[in-house]
């Protein structure tokens, strides 16, 4: 909360992997990281937030900051959340992400198929919808703060 750096880590352009020990450092804290592809928070960010009781997750992009925080608490009990957010591998996580909003997924896919959108645009659109829905379901507060509005925060 005081802006101290708890961990510095470099990953690929699309992801950074953390050990359980590393994630424990963020319990009850604010977790800020970069998203160089200018996309929103991911469902994996939300799952880490819930599992490690992270107070807030921020993804910094060139356009602004996506923030996710615990608002009114979780709408599901701990056992339900654990079942909802437990995946054996990345493929199961990907299947879950696609199932969050099938209409939005199909819309993004159709825009991609007709070449109206790039893969990055389709992914960004769907990730935003998926994170909004997951946030509502889990009782998190989710928002985007463009850099031009950040000084007001």
């Amino acid at each position: 909360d005081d802006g101290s750096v708890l961990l510095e880590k470099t990953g690929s352009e699309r992801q950074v992997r953390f050990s359980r020990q590393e994630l424990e450092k963020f319990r009850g804290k604010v977790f800020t990281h970069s998203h160089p592809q200018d996309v929103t928070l991911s469902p994996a960010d939300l799952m880490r937030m819930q599992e490690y009781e992270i107070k807030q997750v921020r993804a910094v992009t060139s356009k602004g900051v996506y923030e996710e925080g615990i608002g009114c608490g979780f709408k599901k009990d701990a056992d339900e959340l654990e079942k909802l957010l437990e995946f054996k591998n990345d493929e199961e996580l990907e299947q879950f992400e696609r199932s969050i909003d099938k209409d939005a997924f199909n819309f993004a896919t159709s825009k991609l198929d007709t070449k109206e959108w790039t893969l990055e645009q389709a992914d960004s659109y769907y990730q935003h919808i998926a994170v909004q829905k997951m946030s509502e379901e889990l009782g998190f507060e989710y928002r985007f703060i463009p850099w031009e509005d950040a000084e007001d925060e």
Side-chain angles (χ1 to χ4, degrees), residues 45-60:
D45 289 327
L46 272 64
M47 291 185 298
R48 273 190 230 105
M49 184 178 175
Q50 184 274 329
E51 183 178 352
Y52 291 93
E53 299 172 352
I54 296 170
K55 183 177 174 182
Q56 185 182 69
V57 176
R58 296 178 185 155
V60 179

Side-chain angles (χ1 to χ4, degrees), residues 50-85:
Q50 184 274 329
E51 183 178 352
Y52 291 93
E53 299 172 352
I54 296 170
K55 183 177 174 182
Q56 185 182 69
V57 176
R58 296 178 185 155
V60 179
T61 72
S62 68
K63 297 172 185 164
V65 179
Y66 291 95
E67 288 185 339
E68 185 82 31
I70 298 173
C72 58
F74 301 120
K75 294 181 182 174
K76 296 186 176 291
D77 69 33
D79 290 338
E80 284 181 294
L81 280 171
E82 191 170 321
K83 286 179 190 171
L84 176 67
L85 301 175

